[in-house]
Structures are given as structure tokens and as C-alpha cells.
Amino acid sequence: MTTLQAPMRGLAASPGVARGRWRRVARLPLPPAGRVAADAVDAEVARLHEAARAASADLRRLATSVRDQGHPDEAAIFQAHAAIARDPAIIEAAAAAIRTSQVDAAGAIVDAARAASAQLAALPDELLRGRATDVLDVGDRIARMLAGLPADDDLLPVPAIVVAEDLTPSLTATLPRDRIRGIALEGSSPTAHAAILARAYGIPAVVGIRGLLAGLRAAGEDAELAIDGTSGVVVIAPDERERRRFDLLAAAARAGRERDLAEATLPAMTVDGTEVTLLANIGTPDEAGPAAALGARGVGLFRTEFLFLERATPPSEDEQADAYRTAVEAFGGDPVTVRLLDVGGDKPIPYLPISAEDNPFLGVRALRLAEQRPDLFVTQLRACYRAAVAGPIKVMAPMVADARDVERLTDLAAEARAGLAGDGIAFGEIALGVMLEIPSAVLVADTYFGSLRFASLGTNDLLQYTLAVDRGNPALERYRDSLHPAVLRLIRLSVEAARRAGIELSVCGEMAGDPVAALALVGVGVRQLSMAAPSLPAVRRAIRGADLAALQAAANAALSDGSATVVRIRFEAIRPA
Ligand code: PEP
Ligand code: MG
């Protein structure tokens, strides 16, 4: 029986609109864990190792097939899953449980994966928290193999919106893509892999919709479902008026995409002729092409840590050089800014011996790790110098606090260059710079800017360190506005110091992708903004409608304001319609 439901709101995870039939996708449950006899323990451990090997081989095959279908990013996820399936920490924990508790291999691997996943889920880094599901997914795959359960088949026989509590990455990729109209999940987050895959495949998705499954149960299987992956709005059993609204939204989304692409070649120039360079933030080399299509004039931030996560050993120099070269080639002459490794005490990188810390964000993070592991940074810098043969590369160090950190950066770079020269390997020139994300680095910028070519404001961390606001704590939303006058003052100091030293300055924190904040940045004097590629069109439009003198006047006034709320109202008021 279909009953009309009120609209619900989840988290927008992948833009686009879908409405129509839905289908609950779920796998057959695993049987409860069993026990093994004392004399069968060795055989059970052997079965575990065999299943882990087989699962890893399956995942590698899945990675190859997904790559062959033209999705290298997603293939990398399954490649990472193949590594998780052989992760000694998880497999050995399961083997130990078989030996000590005589639990069967399927139960042991599920428990071991759950424990590893719980550790990830407790981390402050949102992206790493999203990986908790990946570990569960791999544990589940091995357990299914051990329990003799069939593979996922015929879960989506007809085109429909896929509904689930959560969707594992491998299930997302193995479902027939041409039949997935949309994805609606009761749980999950926009940075989990189901959402990443949905965005990569262009499938509209809304996640974290509390009450979705109960609502659909009440409405019945024949009820329609409508989802808007841009706003996060979800309607169960939409009436005629709602259906029309969703169809109009779908048409507008199609037109919007065409408009964004058509405008991509327009300069981000204010009405009085001041040009702002718009750049892209990327996490993998494959994102460079789509960013260039949306008009990015290069990469302002390549977050390289994603090359280092979810594996047992660091990526080799060759592997890194390939990744950086691919990004450079996609921009054909526009610069790519590679950020050196930004991991630390809060990131579980098994091959980095960092002890547990009470305050990981104030701990051995990013460049601070060079004290213990200079080799990691020298290898990365060598890869950058090698890739620079293919085109312009800039390299910046994260979490720089003062001039001594800058000396460390230049020493590491000199060591990398000398090593390459000694090895007879060809290399190009790179511009060295730093991220300004610690207030102290801004305040003493004059002492080291002279030895650099550029600096980039990492406003995500600058905000957290200036305002004492943990960037991952949802309870502090009221304090998390980058337009805080204190942050603007630090940005103004950076602009002035960069001008005195004659070096380039950009902003690469999320602030740059917020059209209102972007106007404030231009008003304060920033002329390079780097952001997630989907934010480029809206920021470009805001700048093209703005008048520099008005932005400068608002920015000067904002520096004396008492809170971010006032500053935001100021810039909202002069934002072009
Ligand atoms: C920042 O801190 O603003 C930044 C761009 O770096 P990340 O978000 O990766 O810490
Ligand atoms: Mg940062």
C-alpha cells in the first residue's frame, strides 16, 4: 500500500536526479561462526590463507576488468582491496584467533576485519574513516569464500534506484552499471567509496538518509522513490507535483552540466578586468583530465598521500614519477603543484613507525615526519624532479612552521637533485614552495619567503589551528566558518609578505571553492584559487559578476569585524545574483 511520505534529507553524495522504481540490494547473510576441533586447527589456518590468496586474486582480476572498462581510479580501489586481502596484520590476527579460540576461519576473518575496521572508524580523518567499510568488505569476501556462499548474482535484474543500508565498493562495482539509476543509502558518508564510485560513474547518490529503509517498508515495494544527489533531498512515493519538480530538476541538471562545460574556457575575470587563476585540487592523476575540461589552469594541490595509503610498502620512485607525469601531461603546459606526503600520527600507514599520540593533529604530521624518515621525502622529490622533464611541476611542503622547516625542505630537495645527478638520471627544474596552514608560519613568513618561489594557504588547517576547531568534529559547526576575521587577517598578512618577497600566493583549502569566500579572498588580494573541480563553474561565475573595488572595500571592512557571521553577510550582500 503506497502512502505519501514527507521529503527526507540525507547527505548529497553524487550530483544528479533520479526517480522511479527502487530495489533493496542485500547479500545472503553469512552463517554464524562455528568452531574447529583442536586437531583441525592447522588445516583451518591453511584454509584461511588459501581463501585470502584466492580473494586477493579475484580482486586483482576485478581491478583489471574495471580498468579495461575505462575506470582507472576505481580499478585502483580494487587493487587496494587485493592488498587488504593479503594484509598480514588482519590475516595473522585471524590465524591467531583460530589457534587460540578454535573459532572457524570464516568467523575469525570477520572478527579480525571488524577490529581493524573499528580502528579506522575511530580516526579523525574523514577519508580514512570511510575506508573502514573497505576492510569489512574484504573480510566479508574472504568469509563468503570460506563459507561456500555464492557470488552476488541477479541482485539488480531491472533498472532501479539501488537502496541499501550501506553499499560496499565491490558490490557497487559488480552491480550492472547500466541498471543503476541512482543510489540511496540509509548509512555511509560522502567520502566513503560507494560515493566516490557513484561520482566516478556519474550516478546520482544520496547517503546517510536516516529512516529510509523503514519509510520504504511502510510505503511498499511499488512506491516510487525520488532522489536529488545535489541537495540530498529524498522523497518516498512522490505525488504528481513532486514528480514534476524532480523532472524539472533533472532537466536543469543536464542543462547546468552543458553550461559549465561551455563556460569552462571563459577567464575568471572581474567586471573591471582583474583576472583570477582558477586551479584544481586532485587526489589521483586521473582527476586531472576532467578538471582541465572544467577550465582548471593547472593543479594547485595534488594530495599525494592517496598514493601511499592502503598498501604494505611505500610507492616506488618510478610509480610516483609516473603518477606525477600523468597529471602534468593532462595539463599540457599548465603547472601541477605536488604536495609532499601529509600523513602522520593519525593515519594508519603500516610501514611508518609512528607511535600513538594524544593529539595527532598537533603531532608528528607531514613534513615533521622527515626527521625520522627523510628517505620518504627524498624519494618523492626525486620522482617530482624526474616528472618535471615532462612539464612544469611545483612542489610544496605541508605543515611548515618556520624558517627551519623551509631549510629542511630545501636540503631534502638538494639531496634529491644531487642523487639524480650522481645516478645519471634526467631531471627537470621544480619550483619549491610551502603550505601556509600553521599561524606561526604566516607570522614569520618574511624570514623564509625569499628562499621560495610560492606559498599556498591551506585554510582547512589554518582555520583549525587559528580557531582551535577540530576539523572533523561535527559539534563545532558554528565555529567552522573560514570567513572568520582572524583567518582573513592571516591571509592579508600572507598576501603582503608574498608581495614583498615577489613570490606567488594561492589558496588551496576548501574556502577557495565557496563562491562567497572566494570573493572575500579576491578582495583581500589573492589571485590564485585552487579547489575541487566541481566547484570551478560557480566560483568562476561569482568572480565574473564581481567588481574588484567593491570586494576590496568589503574585505578592508571585514578585517575589523568581530565574527565570521558579519563577514559572510557583508560578502553575500555584494555577491552577484
Ligand atoms: C588545508 O589544510 O587547507 C589543505 C588544503 O590540506 P588538507 O585539507 O589536505 O589538510
Ligand atoms: Mg592541511
Side-chain angles (χ1 to χ4, degrees):
M1 196 4 217
T2 299
T3 47
L4 180 68
Q5 312 260 330
M8 307 170 110
R9 192 173 277 278
L11 302 167
S14 175
V17 169
R19 80 167 177 84
R21 183 196 291 122
W22 58 275
R23 177 133 185 147
R24 174 97 198 252
V25 167
R27 291 161 152 177
L28 286 176
L30 276 168
R35 308 199 63 77
V36 287
D39 60 358
V41 156
D42 285 344
E44 193 65 1
V45 170
R47 235 164 57 77
L48 168 74
H49 283 294
E50 184 44 40
R53 258 194 301 278
S56 183
D58 276 359
L59 284 159
R60 275 198 305 275
R61 272 192 294 278
L62 185 57
T64 308
S65 110
V66 171
R67 185 174 297 116
D68 290 348
Q69 289 166 39
H71 294 282
D73 280 1
E74 297 68 48
I77 294 170
F78 294 112
Q79 202 62 47
H81 278 203
I84 297 173
R86 305 295 300 274
D87 184 334
I90 299 174
I91 305 300
E92 286 316 317
I98 298 172
R99 290 189 201 287
T100 53
S101 317
Q102 290 175 23
V103 62
D104 68 10
I109 190 69
V110 167
D111 282 352
R114 231 175 249 154
S117 165
Q119 278 176 3
L120 284 170
L123 293 171
D125 185 299
E126 199 186 345
L127 211 109
L128 292 170
R129 278 203 305 276
R131 299 294 178 271
T133 315
D134 299 355
V135 171
L136 283 182
D137 189 18
V138 173
D140 184 79
R141 177 180 281 269
I142 300 173
R144 264 162 206 286
M145 207 164 248
L146 286 160
L149 284 176
D152 313 309
D153 54 356
D154 215 20
L155 284 170
L156 194 63
V158 289
I161 298 172
V162 169
V163 168
E165 168 65 41
D166 196 354
L167 210 52
T168 59
S170 62
L171 192 50
T172 316
T174 44
L175 287 171
R177 205 161 308 146
D178 53 339
R179 290 183 221 149
I180 309 178
R181 292 277 181 267
I183 295 175
L185 304 181
E186 171 105 16
S188 194
S189 83
T191 49
H193 270 134
I196 292 173
L197 289 168
R199 287 194 288 272
Y201 298 158
I203 299 169
V206 182
V207 301
I209 317 161
R210 284 167 63 180
L212 173 73
L213 298 179
L216 285 171
R217 256 196 310 275
E221 277 189 8
D222 295 333
E224 255 199 17
L225 178 62
I227 64 168
D228 177 359
T230 307
S231 66
V233 169
V234 172
V235 183
I236 297 173
D239 61 12
E240 190 47 39
R241 197 179 54 84
E242 288 282 13
R243 284 206 290 270
R244 257 202 319 276
R245 197 172 72 79
F246 270 86
D247 290 346
L248 286 173
L249 279 175
R254 276 193 300 277
R257 270 195 298 279
E258 278 158 26
R259 178 182 170 202
D260 289 351
L261 289 171
E263 288 181 1
T265 51
L266 297 177
M269 192 181 277
T270 57
V271 287
D272 48 286
T274 302
E275 181 152 11
V276 179
T277 305
L278 299 190
L279 306 160
N281 292 353
I282 62 170
T284 62
D286 316 297
E287 291 169 49
L294 281 170
R297 303 277 161 84
V299 171
L301 168 63
F302 183 169
R303 287 184 166 98
T304 57
E305 46 280 7
F306 304 122
L307 295 170
F308 289 76
L309 298 174
E310 292 177 355
R311 48 192 299 155
T313 53
S316 68
E317 183 181 310
D318 285 351
E319 202 179 324
Q320 291 188 60
D322 280 350
Y324 308 148
R325 199 178 297 119
T326 305
V328 167
E329 283 166 355
F331 279 94
D334 284 331
V336 169
T337 310
V338 175
R339 174 175 74 186
L340 296 179
L341 189 57
D342 182 4
V343 295
D346 66 325
K347 313 246 174 107
I349 295 204
Y351 50 87
L352 295 183
I354 304 172
S355 11
E357 295 173 308
D358 287 342
N359 291 301
F361 276 122
L362 306 179
V364 183
R365 186 184 160 190
L367 188 67
R368 296 168 178 193
L369 189 63
E371 181 89 26
Q372 300 160 39
R373 292 293 306 268
D375 55 307
L376 285 174
F377 293 88
V378 172
T379 303
Q380 194 173 19
L381 280 155
R382 282 173 59 112
C384 292
Y385 277 112
R386 285 172 53 187
V389 173
I393 291 204
K394 300 159 80 172
V395 175
M396 61 185 179
M399 290 288 288
V400 161
D402 56 22
R404 276 190 63 190
D405 278 344
V406 174
E407 265 171 50
R408 181 181 290 283
L409 169 68
T410 46
D411 288 351
L412 291 165
E415 187 179 335
R417 263 196 323 272
L420 287 167
D423 295 342
I425 297 173
F427 62 93
E429 263 317 303
I430 58 180
L432 279 185
V434 294
M435 289 193 72
L436 298 174
E437 42 190 358
I438 304 180
S440 63
V442 173
L443 296 171
V444 300
D446 281 328
T447 64
Y448 60 81
F449 264 13
S451 53
L452 296 173
R453 299 264 296 277
F454 73 100
S456 187
L457 282 147
T459 48
N460 306 335
D461 278 313
L462 187 64
L463 193 127
Q464 103 161 328
Y465 296 132
T466 305
L467 305 180
V469 176
D470 181 334
R471 60 190 275 186
N473 186 340
L476 298 172
E477 228 30 62
R478 117 107 177 92
Y479 295 96
R480 207 187 322 279
D481 191 333
S482 56
L483 285 178
H484 195 289
V487 175
L488 288 184
R489 286 189 195 206
L490 287 167
I491 297 172
R492 171 57 68 82
L493 290 178
S494 311
V495 167
E496 289 167 351
R499 209 169 276 158
R500 278 192 293 276
I503 68 170
E504 287 180 37
L505 181 80
S506 62
V507 173
C508 64
E510 293 305 302
M511 182 179 187
D514 165 356
V516 175
L519 292 181
L521 290 170
V522 175
V524 172
V526 177
R527 294 291 175 267
Q528 288 187 24
L529 301 175
S530 190
M531 64 204 73
S535 304
L536 288 162
V539 170
R540 180 184 293 109
R541 275 196 282 278
I543 291 172
R544 286 177 63 80
D547 173 70
L548 184 65
L551 298 183
Q552 286 172 330
N556 288 338
L559 294 174
S560 306
D561 282 334
S563 74
T565 314
V566 183
V567 178
R568 192 161 281 279
I569 290 169
R570 229 181 243 297
F571 281 94
E572 292 275 12
I574 56 168
R575 181 187 180 179

